[in-house]
Amino acid sequence: MAGGRIVVGVDGSGPSLKALKWAAGQAALTGDALHAVISWEYPASWATLMPGVPPEFDPERLAKQILDQSLAEALTPEQAAATTRTVVSGNPAQALIDQARGAELLVVGDRGHSGFKAAVLGSVSTNVTQHAPCPVVVVRTP
């Protein structure tokens, strides 16, 4: 069904850049719009580990910068300009599941920045494959 939406999770990691490239190629084949999503959240331990977080620290702005840099690195300027970008506060897996409502496809890398090297799939990719409201593609890295 042309004219749909492909949602791709981005966190700036190598696997997410590979997923972004794959999703852009799929969108070009199907005529679907590409929707890149990044999420951020304060870890619960920050209150005790980092009591002196500077007031100018803005994790939402940092997430937006990572998203913009990822699109600039992985896509052509034309593809990047045509991509819808969403920065969401909250759990990454839940953010992707929420953003994928009504989408044709959800695309993620096999692991992100916080993945254990020995894991076959990261926690986000595992969670979205189990709970997404649409088909999911997990782009594997060698």
Side-chain angles (χ1 to χ4, degrees):
M1 172 180 158
R5 205 168 37 97
I6 295 175
V7 174
V8 58
V10 178
D11 68 1
S13 66
S16 80
L17 296 179
K18 190 171 181 182
L20 181 56
K21 289 177 187 177
W22 190 94
Q26 184 66 20
L29 289 172
T30 61
D32 292 329
L34 187 60
H35 183 162
V37 177
I38 190 170
S39 73
W40 63 273
E41 62 182 341
Y42 286 110
S45 61
W46 275 25
T48 56
L49 293 178
M50 297 178 64
V53 175
E56 66 273 6
F57 178 68
D58 183 351
E60 184 173 5
R61 186 179 75 225
L62 179 60
K64 183 183 181 317
Q65 288 172 347
I66 292 168
L67 183 59
D68 290 343
Q69 289 170 352
S70 296
L71 269 66
E73 182 178 336
L75 305 179
T76 66
E78 296 79 17
Q79 289 171 320
T83 301
T84 302
R85 302 163 196 217
T86 299
V87 178
V88 178
S89 171
N91 174 276
Q94 189 60 53
L96 289 171
I97 290 165
D98 292 345
Q99 292 294 316
R101 287 195 176 90
E104 300 300 314
L105 190 63
L106 173 58
V107 181
V108 293
D110 57 353
R111 68 178 61 81
H113 279 303
S114 61
F116 293 103
K117 296 272 186 217
V120 175
L121 290 177
S123 61
V124 172
S125 56
T126 298
N127 199 327
V128 300
T129 57
Q130 295 173 353
H131 302 288
C134 64
V136 177
V137 170
V138 178
V139 177
R140 300 285 312 262
T141 51

